[in-house]
Amino acid sequence: MAYKPSMRGKAEALDMELDIRPVMNLMVVLIPLLIASAEWVKLGVVEINVPPAKGPSAGGPGDAQDENKVKEKEMKLGLKIAIAHDGITIGNASALLEGEQGEGPTVPLTAEGKYDFDLLKKKLIEIKKKVKGKGFKDEDRVVLTASADIEYQTIITTMDYVQTYEDDKGDILPLFPQVNFGSILQ
Amino acid sequence: MAFQPSKSKKNLTKEEGSLNMNSMMDMMTIILLFLLKSFSTEGALVTPSEELRLPVSQQGEKPKKELSVMISKSMIMVNDQVVVPDMNVIPKDQMIIGPLASKLAEYAQQERDLEIDVGKEFTHQVNIQGDEKLPFEILFKVMFTCSKTEFYKMRLVTIKKG
C-alpha cells in the first residue's frame, strides 16, 4: 500500500512575531540611565615633570669644578618664554629675541590686546628648525615664566602652542614638549 | 423606519495593524552600544562649580585619579578637604604655602607607609585643578610646594576642547 502523501507541503508557514516588548522595556530603562551617567565634558591632563627637589648642595669646591667641566661639555639651549602684560618674550640665558620694532617683547600683543600665540608659534618653529640636530641636550625643553598675575588660562594656552606644531604635510610634530616652570617675573 | 443593517459591512473583518518596530530597535541598539562604550566607572574626577572652572586646552592625556590639589577662586583643597580657606592670607614673600605643605607631607607619609606595608607604589603624582583665572603666582607657589613635598609629577587638569 502506498503511503499517504505528505501534508507538509501544504502546511501553512508558521506566522509568528517575536515579542520584543521586554527588550524595548529594557532599552527604555537603560538608555536614560546611561545618558544620565555619561560624561559630557572631556577632561585632559597636561603633564609637567619637575625633577625632584634637590637638597642643599653639600659638594665642596672640587665637586663644583667637576660640575663645571660637565657643563662645558653639554651644550645647553636654555630656552625661556616669559609672559608679561605687554607680550611674550623668547630668550635664553645669553640673549633675548627682539621684536619686529627692535625693542619690547618678541611677540607683542595683537591690536585687540590679546596674546599673539600664532606669531609665538612661528618664532618657536624657526628656533626649533635652527637648533634641531645641533646636539643641544635640552632641545625639547622650554622654561615658562610669567608675571605674578598672569591668568592660568593664558599659561595653559601657551603650553598648548609650545608643545606641538604641524608641519607642511599636516603631521603633528613635537616642538618643545618638555615644559618647565621658572620663577615669577618681577 | 430604521435602515436595514448593511449586509456587506457585516462580513468585514476588522483591520489589523501592527507597528513595525525594527528600525526603532536598530536605533536603540546603536544608542545603547554607544552609551555603554562611553560609560565610565572611574567616578567623577572633578566637581564643577562656579568657584572652579578648569582652563581649556587642546591636548592632554586621559586623566587618572590621583591625589588632587584644587585651587578654586578663594581656597585651596587637597582631596576635597579645605586646607587654605582664604587665599589672601598666603604671605607674598614665602614660596611655600605652609598649611598645604603640611597636608601634602601627611599624604606623602601615608603613601610611603603604604609602599612599605602593602607594596603599593608611591607614584609621586598629583593632579592640580586650578581655576582659569588663577594668577601665576599662586599656581607657581602651589607647584613649588608640591615638588618640595615629594609630589613632583604634576599634572594640570584641563577641559579638552574639540
Side-chain angles (χ1 to χ4, degrees):
Chain A
M1 195 185 101
Y3 287 109
K4 187 184 170 213
S6 164
M7 296 291 282
R8 272 192 219 170
K10 285 163 206 160
E12 228 174 88
L14 185 62
D15 191 17
M16 196 188 84
E17 258 188 64
L18 204 60
D19 189 9
I20 50 172
R21 269 180 305 171
V23 187
M24 288 293 295
N25 288 345
L26 185 78
M27 293 218 172
V28 169
V29 173
L30 269 183
I31 287 177
L33 180 92
L34 288 171
I35 286 180
S37 65
E39 44 173 322
W40 300 107
V41 180
K42 275 254 182 293
L43 288 177
V45 285
V46 182
E47 206 164 331
I48 35 166
N49 282 340
V50 183
K54 284 184 196 114
S57 58
D63 286 350
Q65 258 185 2
D66 284 348
E67 268 176 30
N68 280 340
K69 271 183 195 165
V70 174
K71 268 181 194 161
E72 271 170 16
K73 274 180 201 164
E74 290 169 356
M75 292 232 291
K76 283 228 169 168
L77 184 61
L79 191 69
K80 267 194 179 185
I81 295 176
I83 310 168
H85 285 283
D86 56 348
I88 304 168
T89 306
I90 307 171
N92 72 357
S94 51
L96 292 179
L97 204 60
E98 282 182 334
E100 239 96 277
Q101 285 86 33
E103 56 179 28
T106 320
V107 184
L109 300 179
T110 56
E112 294 100 55
K114 287 187 178 135
Y115 290 105
D116 196 349
F117 291 114
D118 290 319
L119 184 63
L120 172 74
K121 192 163 205 168
K122 229 171 75 191
K123 298 248 181 199
L124 284 174
I125 292 171
E126 275 171 32
I127 296 172
K128 180 76 183 180
K129 277 180 182 154
K130 274 182 201 160
V131 300
K132 211 173 179 181
K134 295 266 173 74
F136 286 107
K137 201 175 163 263
D138 54 351
E139 63 171 17
D140 282 340
R141 186 180 297 271
V142 66
V143 177
L144 199 68
T145 69
S147 298
D149 48 354
I150 296 289
E151 282 176 12
Y152 185 34
Q153 176 67 65
T154 315
I155 291 155
I156 292 286
T157 316
T158 315
M159 283 174 77
D160 263 354
Y161 278 87
V162 163
Q163 283 184 324
T164 54
Y165 74 102
E166 220 173 276
D167 68 355
D168 309 330
K169 287 171 225 150
D171 298 329
I172 292 173
L173 297 171
L175 188 58
F176 296 100
Q178 296 172 15
V179 179
N180 289 53
F181 283 89
S183 53
I184 304 160
L185 286 184
Q186 293 306 318
Chain B
M1 196 184 98
F3 287 110
Q4 201 181 357
S6 160
K7 274 174 192 152
S8 59
K9 276 186 187 165
K10 206 170 85 181
N11 293 329
L12 273 183
T13 46
K14 263 203 180 148
E15 213 173 302
E16 236 181 83
S18 70
L19 205 57
N20 191 1
M21 294 250 207
N22 287 355
S23 45
M24 191 174 166
M25 287 289 292
D26 291 350
M27 189 189 76
M28 291 266 198
T29 314
I30 291 167
I31 294 176
L32 195 70
L33 280 178
F34 167 74
L35 287 172
L36 273 177
K37 220 191 142 293
S38 66
F39 185 69
S40 124
T41 47
E42 281 191 3
L45 203 83
V46 278
T47 335
S49 74
E50 246 338 273
E51 282 277 289
L52 179 68
R53 287 193 174 204
L54 295 177
V56 179
S57 89
Q58 285 161 356
Q59 50 200 354
E61 296 138 48
K62 220 174 152 18
K64 272 187 240 150
K65 212 166 166 97
E66 300 285 351
L67 177 75
S68 74
V69 175
M70 281 178 238
I71 317 158
S72 75
K73 283 194 175 71
S74 59
M75 52 178 88
I76 300 179
M77 288 173 275
V78 177
N79 271 2
D80 292 334
Q81 301 159 43
V82 179
V83 185
V84 181
D86 185 11
M87 213 102 87
N88 297 322
V89 301
I90 297 172
K92 282 259 179 237
D93 52 343
Q94 266 177 25
M95 284 308 291
I96 287 190
I97 302 169
L100 178 65
S102 55
K103 191 82 197 168
L104 284 175
E106 214 174 275
Y107 273 103
Q109 186 57 45
Q110 266 181 28
E111 290 281 333
R112 251 180 281 127
D113 288 348
L114 274 179
E115 192 169 25
I116 296 163
D117 294 345
V118 291
K120 182 180 170 282
E121 207 187 326
F122 186 11
T123 53
H124 298 283
Q125 282 175 355
V126 60
N127 279 342
I128 297 178
Q129 303 167 14
D131 188 86
E132 58 179 4
K133 295 266 191 288
L134 191 75
F136 181 65
E137 190 187 5
I138 304 282
L139 178 73
F140 188 74
K141 281 181 182 172
V142 169
M143 292 202 293
F144 186 78
T145 311
C146 285
S147 73
K148 281 284 181 216
T149 44
E150 294 188 49
F151 289 97
Y152 48 81
K153 288 184 185 163
M154 283 169 260
R155 287 143 189 267
L156 305 176
V157 182
T158 56
I159 288 172
K160 229 166 152 180
K161 197 165 57 182

